[in-house]
Amino acid sequence: MVGVLPLFLVRSAIFGRMLVSTPQAAYGGVLADSDSVEAAILQRARELAKELQVQFLELRNFRNPVEDDHLLKKDLYVTFRQELKEDLEANMLLIPRKTRAEIREGIKHGLEFRVDEIGPKDFYNVYARSVRDLGTPVFTSRLIENGRREFGLNCKIFSVHWKGTLVAAVWTLFYKDEVVPYYGASLREYNRLAVNNYMYWMLIKYGVENGYRTFDFGRSKKGTGSFDFKKRWGMTMTDLPYQYALVRRQSMPDTSPLNPKFSLAIQTWRKLPLSVTTSLGPLISKHLI
C-alpha cells in the first residue's frame, strides 16, 4: 500500500449528495508516498464523484493539501495543538496569564474533576443542553455510546462536578501520544465558575501525568466563540486547508452554521424546549457534515 483516501458518500437533504473525507471529523484527505500516487488517488476520487453524481468532493486536509490548482480552497477552519512538557508547571506557564487566572478561579470554587465516573447517558444529557443553547441540532446518543464501545480504552469521559452536581464533561479520544477532547459541553448557568477552563486544564494535567505528548484542542471556525476560547490558551494555531472539487455545484459550498441562511433557524432552535430539540436533533444532524 502506497496511498489511501477514506471517502464517505453523504446523502443530505440539506446539501445534497457529497463525497467527504472525512465527515463528522476535523481531518481527512489523501495520504500518499509520492506525488504520482497522490495524483492517481485524486483522479480516481474525481471519477467516483462524477459517477455518483455528487454536488462536490471535499478533502478535509490537515498537513496534507493536494498540489492541484483546479481544487478550490476554503479558509475557514483552524486547529489548535500544543506539545506537552513533562513538567506540569511548565505547561501552566505556556498558558496566557488571564486564562491561568481563570483556571485558578475554578480550583478556588471547589470544582472536582473525575475520570469515567459518568456514562454516555449522563454525558449526552449535558451535551444536548449545551448544543441546544448554541442553536445546533444534537446528534443521536448512539454516536456517543457506539464510539465509546468501538474505541474501548482509547476513549474516556471526563466530568466536572460542583457540590455534587454535574456541570461539564468532555468525551475524549486518545491516539498514540495524543489527547483529543472531541465533544465537550458545560451547563451555561455554571460558566461563572470557570468550569471550561478548569476542565481543559485538568485534562492537560491528566495527559501529562499519563505520558501523552500532544494536546489536540480540535477544529474551530474563525469568528466563533469556540475559536476565541481556544485562542486564549496560547496553543499553536494551524489553518486547515480544506479543498473542493465541484461536480454538480457551480460555486464553493457553504455548509457552515455561519452561513447567514441558517441564522433564523439557529435563533429559533435556541428557544425550543430541550425535549423537542433532543427528539428532532438526531433527525436533522444526520444531514449535516
Side-chain angles (χ1 to χ4, degrees), residues 33-76:
D33 284 349
S34 67
D35 292 343
S36 59
V37 171
E38 178 182 84
I41 290 178
L42 180 60
Q43 177 60 30
R44 180 62 191 121
R46 280 185 161 131
E47 293 170 356
L48 189 60
K50 291 180 181 179
E51 292 169 11
L52 295 172
Q53 297 186 338
V54 298
Q55 296 294 320
F56 57 87
L57 164 70
E58 179 181 46
L59 304 177
R60 297 187 176 182
N61 308 306
F62 178 21
R63 298 191 181 101
N64 54 319
V66 176
E67 295 296 329
D68 190 313
D69 293 337
H70 294 95
L71 293 175
L72 301 179
K73 181 180 176 182
K74 181 179 289 185
D75 181 28
L76 176 62

Side-chain angles (χ1 to χ4, degrees), residues 9-288:
L9 175 61
V10 179
R11 299 177 178 88
S12 170
I14 302 172
F15 304 111
R17 291 159 60 92
M18 302 163 280
L19 266 182
V20 183
S21 178
T22 311
Q24 302 298 336
Y27 311 136
V30 180
L31 297 178
D33 284 349
S34 67
D35 292 343
S36 59
V37 171
E38 178 182 84
I41 290 178
L42 180 60
Q43 177 60 30
R44 180 62 191 121
R46 280 185 161 131
E47 293 170 356
L48 189 60
K50 291 180 181 179
E51 292 169 11
L52 295 172
Q53 297 186 338
V54 298
Q55 296 294 320
F56 57 87
L57 164 70
E58 179 181 46
L59 304 177
R60 297 187 176 182
N61 308 306
F62 178 21
R63 298 191 181 101
N64 54 319
V66 176
E67 295 296 329
D68 190 313
D69 293 337
H70 294 95
L71 293 175
L72 301 179
K73 181 180 176 182
K74 181 179 289 185
D75 181 28
L76 176 62
Y77 295 102
V78 299
T79 189
F80 294 86
R81 289 164 63 88
Q82 181 68 58
E83 296 304 312
L84 300 178
K85 309 293 184 181
E86 292 186 9
D87 177 65
L88 187 61
E89 185 60 24
N91 290 283
M92 176 65 85
L93 293 175
L94 291 174
I95 301 171
R97 182 178 301 176
K98 184 176 180 180
T99 302
R100 292 203 306 266
E102 291 172 348
I103 292 169
R104 295 189 180 100
E105 187 74 12
I107 296 172
K108 186 175 70 174
H109 283 301
L111 297 174
E112 298 179 39
F113 183 78
R114 302 177 186 175
V115 183
D116 273 344
E117 286 201 12
I118 67 170
K121 182 177 180 181
D122 289 330
F123 171 81
Y124 187 78
N125 289 339
V126 174
Y127 188 78
R129 283 185 61 184
S130 180
V131 297
R132 186 280 308 270
D133 293 342
L134 294 173
T136 302
V138 69
F139 44 67
T140 173
S141 60
R142 293 195 305 274
L143 180 60
I144 294 299
E145 296 163 0
N146 294 344
R148 183 75 186 279
R149 183 174 61 251
E150 180 70 23
F151 291 111
L153 295 177
N154 291 320
C155 177
K156 295 183 183 297
I157 299 176
F158 300 88
S159 55
V160 175
H161 304 255
W162 185 62
K163 296 183 178 180
T165 300
L166 174 63
V167 297
V170 56
W171 190 89
T172 304
L173 298 175
F174 296 87
Y175 175 71
K176 295 183 178 179
D177 66 347
E178 297 188 11
V179 181
V180 188
Y182 214 81
Y183 297 117
S186 63
L187 302 182
R188 63 180 178 180
E189 59 265 37
Y190 296 99
N191 285 347
R192 59 186 171 82
L193 304 176
V195 296
N196 286 301
N197 288 293
Y198 171 82
M199 179 170 68
Y200 287 112
W201 164 248
M202 293 300 291
L203 186 54
I204 289 174
K205 181 174 181 288
Y206 178 92
V208 171
E209 293 175 344
N210 286 273
Y212 292 94
R213 291 292 168 258
T214 301
F215 187 85
D216 186 330
F217 219 167
R219 182 185 78 174
S220 288
K221 293 179 286 290
K222 296 176 183 178
T224 64
S226 172
F227 172 86
D228 292 337
F229 174 77
K230 293 177 183 179
K231 193 174 180 181
R232 291 197 293 269
W233 283 75
M235 297 185 181
T236 301
M237 182 177 70
T238 305
D239 286 320
L240 294 176
Y242 288 6
Q243 294 175 297
Y244 299 82
L246 303 183
V247 181
R248 300 186 68 184
R249 281 191 62 93
Q250 302 299 313
S251 60
M252 176 83 80
D254 187 355
T255 58
S256 165
L258 295 177
N259 188 331
K261 294 180 180 179
F262 304 139
S263 60
L264 179 59
I266 290 172
Q267 293 299 324
T268 302
W269 193 262
R270 289 172 174 166
K271 299 175 182 178
L272 294 176
L274 185 61
S275 59
V276 174
T277 60
T278 304
S279 298
L280 295 180
L283 301 177
I284 300 172
S285 66
K286 66 182 180 180
H287 297 286
L288 305 176

